[in-house]
Amino acid sequence: MADDDRLRTVDEHLATVLDGIGSIDPIELTLLDSQGLLLAEDVVTDVPLPGFDNSAMDGYAVRAVDTRDASPESPSVLPVVGDVAAGAKSRSGMGPGLAMRIMTGAPIPAGADAVIALEETDRGVARVAINREVVSGEHVRRAGEDLQSGAPALGAGAALGPQQLALLAAIGRDRVMVRPRPRVQVISTGSELIEVGHRAAFGEVTDCNSYLIAAAAKDAGADARRVGIVADDHAKLLDVLETQLLRADILVTTGGVSMGAFDVVKEALSELGTVEFTRVAMQPGKPQGFGHLGDRVPIFCLPGNPVSALVSFEVFVRPAIRKLLGKRNLHRATVQAVALERAESPEGRRQYRRGVLHREATGGYSVSLVGGAGSHLIASMASSNCLVVIDEEVTEVVAGSRVTVIPLLLSNR
Ligand code: AMP
Ligand code: MG
C-alpha cells in the first residue's frame, strides 16, 4: 500500500482479523482444567438430584398423621426406634406411630413422610415429644426435585464457572468436552534485544514484549508461551515460525513491521503472500501485519514499541483469542469517564492513550492520562489501568468532557 493511500480503519482491520479466525476442535478436560471455558456438548444427567429422598434437617423422621392435633399442652409422644445417619447404605423402615432420629442428608426411612427439627422437640432418645402438627413432606428433600434423571443439565456453550463445575460433579461427570484454550506462541523480533537477566550493554534493549504479550494473552484466556527473541534475520525468523506453527493456534510477533531498512518481519512474510501488512488509522499501532501461515494458523505481526504492542494486542489479538474460545462477547466492556485534563489527538486516527481510571464518590468515573502519546513509555504504561479512546474525528478533548475508557481489568482467568 502506498503512503498516500487511505489508511484502513480500526474497525475494518478488526473485521478482517476476525474473518480470518476459525475455530479449534473441542477437547475433553477434567473439571478444574475446564474452568472458564465453554462447554462443547449438551450434558444430560442420568441420575436425579437429589439422588434419594433425604432430610433437610437434623431431627426426627415421622409420619405426619401421627402428630395430628399435637400441641404444647398435649404433645404427640412417639417411641424412637433407631437412628439414620448421612451415608446410611440402605433404606431403613419405620412402622406407624414411631419415629427415627435422622441427620441432615440421611435417607428418609420407608414409612416416614416428614421430618421435625430437633429444636422443635424435647430431643428425647427413647421417645420424643412433638408439640405441633407436622405437615406431610416437611423438611424432606425429594429425589429429582432439583434435576430429574434424563433432564438436560447444561447446554453446549455454557460458561463453566464454579457453579457449573459443581453441577457436573454432582451428576457424576468428571470430564467434559470444552472449547480449548488457544495456544498462543509469542516471538519478539529485533537484533537489539537481549533476554531478561543480562545487563543490557550500550545499544541493547531487554525484551519485555514477550512478557507483555504472553501475559496479556494468558489473561485473555489463552495458553500462552514465550518463544523468545529472534534477531532481524529472514532465515532465522522463518525457521522459528515454522517450528512454532506446529504448536500454535495463534502466532504473535512484535517488531519489524515499520518502514525501516531492517524490518525483517515485514520483508520475510510479505514474500510468502499469506500475510498482509497494512497501515491502520490508529495511534499507536499504525503498522499491522495479519495473515496465515502453514495450515492456516493465524499470525499477528505487531509493532515493536511496547505500548504499540499492547494496544495492538488489546484491539486485535484479544478479540481473536476470545473468538477461538467461543465467547459470544469478544470485546472488553467500556465505561464513560470525565477527562481530568486536556488531550490532543491526530485527525483521522483513533487514539488510545494510557490512563488511570478513578471511581468517584458520586459513583461515576474520571480518568487522568499518563505518559503522553509516546509508545516507548513502559513505566507509565505500568502505572496505567485503562486505555482512553479518542475517536477518529476528535482532535481535542477538553478537560471535563466525557471520554470512552477501556478498563484493563485482570480476569484472573
Ligand atoms: P520496531 O517495531 O522493531 O521498529 O521496534 C520499535 C521500537 O520498539 C524499538 O525502539 C525497539 O527497540 C523496541 N522494541 C522492539 N521489540 C521490543 C521488545 N521485544 N521489547 C522491548 N522493546 C522492543
Ligand atoms: Mg525492530
Side-chain angles (χ1 to χ4, degrees):
M1 187 186 271
D3 247 11
D4 53 4
D5 278 351
R6 186 181 75 91
L7 304 186
R8 187 182 273 185
T9 68
V10 172
D11 294 334
E12 284 166 351
H13 190 59
L14 180 60
T16 303
V17 163
L18 291 177
D19 251 11
I21 301 293
S23 62
I24 313 175
D25 288 341
I27 56 168
E28 192 174 56
L29 288 182
T30 60
L31 295 189
L32 282 182
D33 284 343
S34 63
Q35 181 171 359
L37 299 176
L38 299 192
L39 196 59
E41 59 171 319
D42 290 323
V43 175
V44 171
T45 181
D46 61 0
V47 294
L49 286 184
F52 50 90
D53 290 355
N54 70 90
S55 176
M57 299 291 264
D58 291 332
Y60 296 85
V62 298
R63 293 188 337 152
V65 290
D66 293 337
T67 64
R68 187 174 299 157
D69 297 333
S71 67
E73 297 73 41
S74 135
S76 291
V77 179
L78 306 175
V80 178
V81 294
D83 287 338
V84 208
K89 290 286 182 294
S90 61
R91 188 159 187 216
S92 44
M94 195 184 87
L98 302 176
M100 289 186 85
R101 233 166 30 144
I102 192 164
M103 314 306 154
T104 304
I108 302 291
D113 65 353
V115 170
I116 176 90
L118 204 60
E119 49 273 34
E120 291 192 84
T121 70
D122 67 350
R123 301 173 191 248
V125 177
R127 57 189 55 228
V128 61
I130 297 166
N131 56 18
R132 72 163 172 85
E133 274 192 17
V134 178
V135 180
S136 178
E138 203 176 326
H139 297 320
V140 175
R141 303 156 164 176
R142 291 268 166 230
E145 74 175 19
D146 191 10
L147 197 64
Q148 284 184 350
S149 181
L154 291 171
L160 298 177
Q163 306 92 310
Q164 293 71 33
L165 297 181
L167 174 58
L168 291 167
I171 64 171
R173 287 293 300 265
D174 62 345
R175 297 171 162 269
V176 277
M177 294 299 287
V178 292
R179 290 174 156 276
R181 295 191 183 283
R183 298 161 305 160
V184 175
Q185 304 289 353
V186 183
I187 300 162
S188 291
T189 73
S191 294
E192 75 280 25
L193 301 178
I194 61 161
E195 279 289 344
V196 61
H198 306 275
R199 202 176 174 81
F202 178 80
E204 292 179 339
V205 173
T206 305
D207 165 37
C208 70
N209 284 354
S210 62
Y211 291 93
L212 174 74
I213 299 304
K218 248 174 101 169
D219 187 69
D223 175 8
R225 305 289 156 94
R226 290 180 59 245
V227 175
I229 301 165
V230 180
D232 293 320
D233 176 307
H234 275 216
K236 281 189 186 138
L237 175 67
L238 292 174
D239 198 44
V240 169
L241 287 173
E242 195 167 278
T243 313
Q244 294 310 321
L245 267 180
L246 308 169
R247 334 188 152 113
D249 298 306
I250 290 183
L251 291 165
V252 183
T253 66
T254 66
V257 294
S258 317
M259 298 289 173
F262 301 100
D263 285 323
V264 163
V265 175
K266 186 173 177 177
E267 289 166 22
L269 297 184
S270 292
E271 286 168 15
L272 300 180
T274 58
V275 184
E276 187 187 16
F277 289 85
T278 38
R279 296 180 314 131
V280 179
M282 63 193 280
Q283 185 191 57
K286 185 162 80 165
Q288 296 289 335
F290 176 75
H292 298 89
L293 291 184
D295 193 16
R296 286 195 61 80
V297 177
I299 179 168
F300 291 85
C301 302
L302 310 182
N305 271 308
V307 176
S308 314
L310 177 68
V311 168
S312 305
F313 177 90
E314 282 294 328
V315 177
F316 303 119
V317 189
R318 194 174 196 279
I321 290 172
R322 292 184 60 84
K323 183 172 179 192
L324 283 180
L325 283 163
K327 304 275 185 190
R328 230 174 288 154
N329 189 357
L330 305 183
H331 303 291
R332 286 192 189 267
T334 60
V335 299
Q336 295 295 308
V338 173
L340 293 177
E341 64 223 74
R342 180 179 177 278
E344 284 180 6
S345 172
E347 162 118 54
R349 308 262 297 267
R350 190 182 298 177
Q351 196 185 47
Y352 294 88
R353 298 280 287 265
R354 275 65 56 218
V356 178
L357 187 64
H358 313 273
R359 178 116 199 155
E360 298 293 324
T362 53
Y365 290 102
S366 65
V367 67
S368 45
L369 299 174
V370 286
S375 52
H376 60 295
L377 302 170
I378 301 165
S380 58
M381 177 170 72
S383 67
S384 70
N385 64 5
C386 66
L387 296 175
V388 180
V389 186
I390 306 178
D391 281 340
E392 288 81 347
E393 68 279 11
V394 178
T395 54
E396 185 190 7
V397 170
V398 294
S401 62
R402 297 181 83 72
V403 285
T404 300
V405 174
I406 307 172
L408 300 180
L409 301 172
L410 289 182
S411 75
N412 279 326
R413 309 232 292 172

Short mmCIF file of all heavy atoms in Angstrom, two decimals, residues 188-211 226 228-230:
data_model
loop_
_atom_site.label_atom_id
_atom_site.label_comp_id
_atom_site.label_asym_id
_atom_site.label_seq_id
_atom_site.Cartn_x
_atom_site.Cartn_y
_atom_site.Cartn_z
N SER A 188 9.48 -12.32 20.01
CA SER A 188 9.98 -10.94 19.92
C SER A 188 11.05 -10.90 18.85
O SER A 188 11.96 -11.72 18.86
CB SER A 188 10.62 -10.51 21.25
OG SER A 188 9.63 -10.37 22.23
N THR A 189 10.94 -9.94 17.95
CA THR A 189 11.99 -9.82 16.94
C THR A 189 12.76 -8.52 17.15
O THR A 189 12.19 -7.52 17.58
CB THR A 189 11.44 -9.81 15.50
OG1 THR A 189 10.80 -8.55 15.26
CG2 THR A 189 10.45 -10.94 15.28
N GLY A 190 14.04 -8.55 16.86
CA GLY A 190 14.89 -7.37 16.96
C GLY A 190 16.29 -7.77 17.34
O GLY A 190 16.49 -8.48 18.32
N SER A 191 17.27 -7.31 16.54
CA SER A 191 18.67 -7.67 16.80
C SER A 191 19.22 -6.95 18.02
O SER A 191 20.27 -7.32 18.54
CB SER A 191 19.53 -7.37 15.57
OG SER A 191 19.13 -8.23 14.52
N GLU A 192 18.51 -5.91 18.48
CA GLU A 192 18.96 -5.18 19.67
C GLU A 192 18.52 -5.88 20.96
O GLU A 192 18.94 -5.49 22.05
CB GLU A 192 18.42 -3.75 19.64
CG GLU A 192 16.93 -3.57 19.97
CD GLU A 192 15.98 -3.87 18.79
OE1 GLU A 192 16.36 -4.65 17.91
OE2 GLU A 192 14.86 -3.35 18.79
N LEU A 193 17.67 -6.88 20.85
CA LEU A 193 17.03 -7.44 22.05
C LEU A 193 17.91 -8.47 22.75
O LEU A 193 18.60 -9.25 22.11
CB LEU A 193 15.70 -8.10 21.68
CG LEU A 193 14.67 -7.18 21.02
CD1 LEU A 193 13.41 -7.98 20.66
CD2 LEU A 193 14.32 -6.01 21.94
N ILE A 194 17.87 -8.43 24.10
CA ILE A 194 18.53 -9.46 24.90
C ILE A 194 17.52 -10.01 25.90
O ILE A 194 16.51 -9.38 26.20
CB ILE A 194 19.77 -8.92 25.66
CG1 ILE A 194 19.37 -7.80 26.62
CG2 ILE A 194 20.84 -8.45 24.67
CD1 ILE A 194 20.41 -7.54 27.69
N GLU A 195 17.83 -11.20 26.40
CA GLU A 195 16.95 -11.85 27.38
C GLU A 195 17.04 -11.14 28.72
O GLU A 195 18.11 -10.68 29.12
CB GLU A 195 17.39 -13.32 27.59
CG GLU A 195 16.88 -14.28 26.54
CD GLU A 195 15.37 -14.54 26.64
OE1 GLU A 195 14.76 -14.22 27.68
OE2 GLU A 195 14.82 -15.05 25.66
N VAL A 196 15.95 -11.10 29.43
CA VAL A 196 15.95 -10.56 30.78
C VAL A 196 16.93 -11.36 31.64
O VAL A 196 17.09 -12.57 31.43
CB VAL A 196 14.51 -10.59 31.37
CG1 VAL A 196 13.96 -12.00 31.47
CG2 VAL A 196 14.45 -9.91 32.74
N GLY A 197 17.60 -10.66 32.56
CA GLY A 197 18.56 -11.36 33.42
C GLY A 197 19.99 -11.03 33.06
O GLY A 197 20.91 -11.32 33.81
N HIS A 198 20.18 -10.43 31.89
CA HIS A 198 21.52 -9.98 31.49
C HIS A 198 21.47 -8.46 31.45
O HIS A 198 20.49 -7.89 30.97
CB HIS A 198 21.89 -10.51 30.11
CG HIS A 198 21.76 -12.00 30.02
ND1 HIS A 198 22.76 -12.85 30.42
CD2 HIS A 198 20.73 -12.78 29.62
CE1 HIS A 198 22.36 -14.09 30.25
NE2 HIS A 198 21.12 -14.07 29.77
N ARG A 199 22.53 -7.83 31.97
CA ARG A 199 22.52 -6.37 31.96
C ARG A 199 22.72 -5.89 30.53
O ARG A 199 23.63 -6.34 29.84
CB ARG A 199 23.62 -5.86 32.88
CG ARG A 199 23.36 -4.45 33.32
CD ARG A 199 24.38 -3.94 34.31
NE ARG A 199 24.12 -2.54 34.56
CZ ARG A 199 23.19 -2.10 35.39
NH1 ARG A 199 22.49 -2.97 36.11
NH2 ARG A 199 22.99 -0.81 35.55
N ALA A 200 21.84 -4.97 30.09
CA ALA A 200 21.94 -4.50 28.71
C ALA A 200 23.17 -3.64 28.52
O ALA A 200 23.39 -2.69 29.28
CB ALA A 200 20.67 -3.72 28.35
N ALA A 201 24.00 -3.98 27.53
CA ALA A 201 25.13 -3.13 27.15
C ALA A 201 24.57 -1.97 26.32
O ALA A 201 23.39 -1.97 25.94
CB ALA A 201 26.14 -3.94 26.34
N PHE A 202 25.45 -1.01 26.02
CA PHE A 202 25.01 0.13 25.22
C PHE A 202 24.36 -0.36 23.92
O PHE A 202 24.93 -1.20 23.21
CB PHE A 202 26.18 1.06 24.91
CG PHE A 202 25.77 2.21 24.05
CD1 PHE A 202 25.13 3.31 24.61
CD2 PHE A 202 25.96 2.17 22.68
CE1 PHE A 202 24.71 4.36 23.82
CE2 PHE A 202 25.53 3.21 21.87
CZ PHE A 202 24.90 4.31 22.46
N GLY A 203 23.20 0.16 23.63
CA GLY A 203 22.54 -0.20 22.37
C GLY A 203 21.66 -1.43 22.48
O GLY A 203 20.89 -1.70 21.57
N GLU A 204 21.78 -2.17 23.56
CA GLU A 204 20.93 -3.36 23.72
C GLU A 204 19.65 -2.99 24.47
O GLU A 204 19.64 -2.05 25.27
CB GLU A 204 21.68 -4.45 24.50
CG GLU A 204 22.84 -5.04 23.71
CD GLU A 204 23.59 -6.11 24.50
OE1 GLU A 204 23.50 -6.14 25.74
OE2 GLU A 204 24.28 -6.91 23.86
N VAL A 205 18.63 -3.74 24.21
CA VAL A 205 17.33 -3.50 24.85
C VAL A 205 16.83 -4.83 25.40
O VAL A 205 16.86 -5.84 24.68
CB VAL A 205 16.31 -2.94 23.82
CG1 VAL A 205 14.92 -2.84 24.43
CG2 VAL A 205 16.77 -1.59 23.29
N THR A 206 16.42 -4.84 26.65
CA THR A 206 15.90 -6.08 27.23
C THR A 206 14.49 -6.32 26.70
O THR A 206 13.63 -5.43 26.76
CB THR A 206 15.89 -6.00 28.76
OG1 THR A 206 17.21 -5.68 29.19
CG2 THR A 206 15.46 -7.33 29.37
N ASP A 207 14.27 -7.51 26.18
CA ASP A 207 12.96 -7.87 25.63
C ASP A 207 11.91 -7.84 26.73
O ASP A 207 11.99 -8.59 27.71
CB ASP A 207 13.05 -9.29 25.04
CG ASP A 207 11.67 -9.90 24.80
OD1 ASP A 207 10.76 -9.15 24.40
OD2 ASP A 207 11.53 -11.12 25.01
N CYS A 208 10.93 -6.97 26.59
CA CYS A 208 9.80 -7.01 27.53
C CYS A 208 8.51 -7.39 26.82
O CYS A 208 7.55 -7.81 27.44
CB CYS A 208 9.65 -5.69 28.29
SG CYS A 208 9.08 -4.33 27.28
N ASN A 209 8.49 -7.26 25.49
CA ASN A 209 7.24 -7.52 24.77
C ASN A 209 6.75 -8.96 24.91
O ASN A 209 5.54 -9.20 24.95
CB ASN A 209 7.41 -7.23 23.27
CG ASN A 209 7.42 -5.75 22.98
OD1 ASN A 209 7.18 -4.94 23.87
ND2 ASN A 209 7.70 -5.41 21.73
N SER A 210 7.69 -9.90 24.96
CA SER A 210 7.22 -11.29 25.01
C SER A 210 6.52 -11.55 26.34
O SER A 210 5.58 -12.34 26.40
CB SER A 210 8.36 -12.26 24.76
OG SER A 210 9.34 -12.14 25.75
N TYR A 211 6.97 -10.86 27.40
CA TYR A 211 6.27 -10.98 28.70
C TYR A 211 4.92 -10.26 28.64
O TYR A 211 3.90 -10.77 29.10
CB TYR A 211 7.14 -10.43 29.83
CG TYR A 211 8.33 -11.33 30.07
CD1 TYR A 211 9.54 -11.10 29.43
CD2 TYR A 211 8.20 -12.46 30.87
CE1 TYR A 211 10.61 -11.95 29.61
CE2 TYR A 211 9.27 -13.32 31.06
CZ TYR A 211 10.48 -13.06 30.42
OH TYR A 211 11.52 -13.92 30.59
N ARG A 226 6.05 -17.89 25.74
CA ARG A 226 7.09 -17.04 25.15
C ARG A 226 8.02 -17.95 24.36
O ARG A 226 8.61 -18.85 24.92
CB ARG A 226 7.96 -16.41 26.23
CG ARG A 226 7.36 -15.37 27.07
CD ARG A 226 8.41 -14.89 28.07
NE ARG A 226 9.58 -14.37 27.40
CZ ARG A 226 10.79 -14.91 27.48
NH1 ARG A 226 11.01 -15.98 28.18
NH2 ARG A 226 11.80 -14.37 26.83
N GLY A 228 10.57 -16.46 22.71
CA GLY A 228 11.83 -15.76 22.97
C GLY A 228 12.15 -14.79 21.84
O GLY A 228 11.25 -14.34 21.14
N ILE A 229 13.44 -14.54 21.71
CA ILE A 229 13.90 -13.48 20.81
C ILE A 229 14.42 -14.07 19.50
O ILE A 229 15.10 -15.09 19.51
CB ILE A 229 15.06 -12.70 21.48
CG1 ILE A 229 14.57 -12.10 22.80
CG2 ILE A 229 15.63 -11.65 20.55
CD1 ILE A 229 15.70 -11.62 23.69
N VAL A 230 14.09 -13.42 18.40
CA VAL A 230 14.68 -13.78 17.11
C VAL A 230 15.31 -12.51 16.53
O VAL A 230 14.68 -11.45 16.52
CB VAL A 230 13.61 -14.33 16.14
CG1 VAL A 230 14.25 -14.69 14.81
CG2 VAL A 230 12.91 -15.53 16.73
#
